[in-house]
Amino acid sequence: MDIFLEHGIEDVRAVDPNRDYWFIRSYGGELFDTFFNNSFVGLGLNNVPYKLILDSADPKKDAFKDLQRFIDNNTEYTKGEATKWANQLLNFEYGVKINDIVITPSRNSDILAIGIVESNTYLDKNPGAFKFNGRYEALPEKRKKVNWIKTFKKEVLQAEIRGLLSSHQAVTNARSYSEIIEGNLSSVYIKGERIYLTIQINQDEDINAFELNRFLSSLTFFYDEFCKENGFKNNEDLYIKIKLQSRGKMALQAGAIGAIMGIAGLMVLSNNNELSVEIENVGKVSGKGDGFLESVSDFLDRNQERQIKYEIFKDSMERLKVKPIEETTIQTSTPVDTTYQKNN
């Protein structure tokens, strides 16, 4: 497996384990184009002095009460809403950090844009205006730069992040959805000491339980075999999350990086031409690829039981229409609808 490890793992996308995730609304989608085309996200309440926010980092201090009181006295929000908005401003200022992931929705959440935060808060003193609910509002003054990396149609993620989409707050922490978000940015990624592989099942009809069992049995068999091949003593550190009836995704998580990469390689070697993996800085690898894929072929050739099991694995993949998530490399500035094409 030396060739496989050398040319595969070092190029797999690495995710900072300290990264956080945020869902930031865009005034009912009215500012989606503005956020996307100008590479930022922002929060309103421009009349709230920025210094008041900076002085209010600790909710236990009187400065936080001053922030609440200012919002209560200088906006249309009632006392309870003033507290909520004070916390929203602090979340935006102190919670959303450089390298965090943000998701922002268009109108009706038809399009979801995902990006990486690239700056601390900055103030735009001439923000401009937009029409909202029949009147003109100032565009958000308080902003953070964002590099938008990918967009999705709502139906791609709706079932998985329904709870997040139902949140009406301007800024919502989305940490509990981190694996879903990262798994839709690329099929394979490493976070901390663990590796994750997301697999798409594209079957339209209900999943046959026996077929699914064959597929899962193959996964665990080959995971065990790759662990033995790489000398991992604890080869049962594999977790599989399945949330599907027909079309859906399953996620594999393990500490044995070589084993998960081996499974991904086996999927690529399938005779199904749709099965391919794009690894960041390497490009698309499919069919009879060379380098690390050849080492996966050698892995199969060295053991007759593996060859037999692999035929079962391929057959179950074809029946379930299994493949890694499409476009596994992060897309930059490639919206799903040209309406939202980012201006260069």
Side-chain angles (χ1 to χ4, degrees):
M1 297 297 292
D2 291 340
I3 298 176
F4 173 66
L5 296 175
E6 178 183 353
H7 293 285
I9 291 178
E10 66 182 18
D11 293 306
V12 173
R13 186 169 65 92
V15 175
D16 184 351
N18 297 316
R19 164 180 282 175
D20 216 338
Y21 303 80
W22 302 91
F23 184 69
I24 299 180
R25 289 201 169 273
S26 55
Y27 283 79
E30 292 297 326
L31 294 186
F32 180 83
D33 286 351
T34 300
F35 285 178
F36 191 87
N37 291 330
N38 295 283
S39 302
F40 76 92
V41 289
L43 196 61
L45 294 176
N46 290 357
N47 64 327
V48 176
Y50 187 49
K51 186 178 184 304
L52 199 55
I53 297 171
L54 296 179
D55 291 341
S56 304
D58 188 348
K60 297 179 181 179
K61 293 183 178 179
D62 290 340
F64 182 74
K65 293 180 180 178
D66 292 340
L67 177 61
Q68 291 174 299
R69 192 177 301 111
F70 183 93
I71 296 173
D72 190 26
N73 294 334
N74 295 276
T75 71
E76 58 188 23
Y77 298 115
T78 61
K79 188 173 182 180
E81 289 179 311
T83 301
K84 180 190 74 174
W85 276 104
N87 283 307
Q88 294 281 282
L89 288 166
L90 294 185
N91 276 339
F92 187 79
E93 175 63 30
Y94 297 104
V96 183
K97 298 181 178 66
I98 293 173
N99 199 43
D100 281 357
I101 289 286
V102 295
I103 304 175
T104 194
S106 68
R107 190 180 292 110
N108 300 318
S109 298
D110 291 335
I111 303 292
L112 300 169
I114 298 181
I116 300 176
V117 178
E118 293 190 325
S119 79
N120 293 316
T121 304
Y122 65 95
L123 302 182
D124 188 328
K125 291 300 184 180
N126 296 293
F130 71 106
K131 197 170 185 178
F132 183 65
N133 289 340
R135 64 182 185 183
Y136 283 95
E137 299 273 358
L139 286 166
E141 170 188 74
K142 303 166 186 69
R143 304 179 177 186
K144 292 179 186 282
K145 293 181 180 178
V146 174
N147 175 27
W148 299 110
I149 55 177
K150 199 165 186 179
T151 57
F152 295 93
K153 291 182 178 179
K154 177 173 64 177
E155 53 266 29
V156 174
L157 287 172
Q158 185 175 16
E160 298 176 285
I161 64 169
R162 182 174 286 110
L164 193 58
L165 293 175
S166 65
S167 172
H168 296 294
Q169 294 191 105
V171 181
T172 303
N173 187 274
R175 190 180 304 123
S176 60
Y177 298 89
S178 62
E179 291 181 19
I180 294 170
I181 295 168
E182 296 291 356
N184 278 277
L185 291 179
S186 64
S187 289
V188 187
Y189 67 93
I190 295 173
K191 187 174 184 179
E193 297 182 354
R194 303 193 69 77
I195 186 167
Y196 299 76
L197 170 64
T198 303
I199 299 169
Q200 178 78 47
I201 292 183
N202 292 302
Q203 185 168 302
D204 291 319
E205 61 270 22
D206 288 340
I207 298 295
N208 181 284
F210 294 99
E211 204 62 64
L212 182 60
N213 182 61
R214 291 174 69 216
F215 178 68
L216 295 177
S217 296
S218 298
L219 281 178
T220 54
F221 169 81
F222 281 114
Y223 178 77
D224 183 63
E225 289 295 296
F226 276 112
C227 283
K228 293 176 182 176
E229 189 82 8
N230 288 279
F232 299 124
K233 292 182 180 179
N234 179 9
N235 55 20
E236 294 185 357
D237 183 23
L238 173 68
Y239 299 90
I240 302 175
K241 290 185 179 179
I242 305 174
K243 188 178 180 182
L244 52 87
Q245 289 178 322
S246 53
R247 289 179 176 266
K249 302 180 181 74
M250 66 172 60
L252 279 64
Q253 176 193 156
I257 294 175
I260 295 295
M261 289 298 293
I263 291 172
L266 289 177
M267 296 181 67
V268 174
L269 287 174
S270 168
N271 289 329
N272 186 338
N273 292 329
E274 291 184 357
L275 292 176
S276 62
V277 172
E278 267 192 48
I279 299 178
E280 191 173 15
N281 300 323
V282 174
K284 182 173 288 186
V285 185
S286 60
K288 294 183 178 179
D290 52 14
F292 68 85
L293 286 184
E294 286 185 352
S295 68
V296 177
S297 296
D298 292 340
F299 163 83
L300 293 174
D301 293 341
R302 287 196 295 273
N303 185 299
Q304 186 175 12
E305 183 183 9
R306 293 172 183 172
Q307 295 175 25
I308 295 172
K309 288 283 189 180
Y310 184 55
E311 293 305 315
I312 296 173
F313 190 38
K314 284 200 300 182
D315 183 63
S316 66
M317 282 194 288
E318 291 173 4
R319 290 175 183 272
L320 293 175
K321 300 179 182 178
V322 170
K323 62 179 178 179
I325 300 299
E326 294 179 355
E327 298 297 335
T328 57
T329 308
I330 293 177
Q331 298 177 4
T332 54
S333 307
T334 310
V336 295
D337 187 326
T338 54
T339 303
Y340 304 112
Q341 182 65 48
K342 184 175 179 180
N343 295 331
N344 294 318

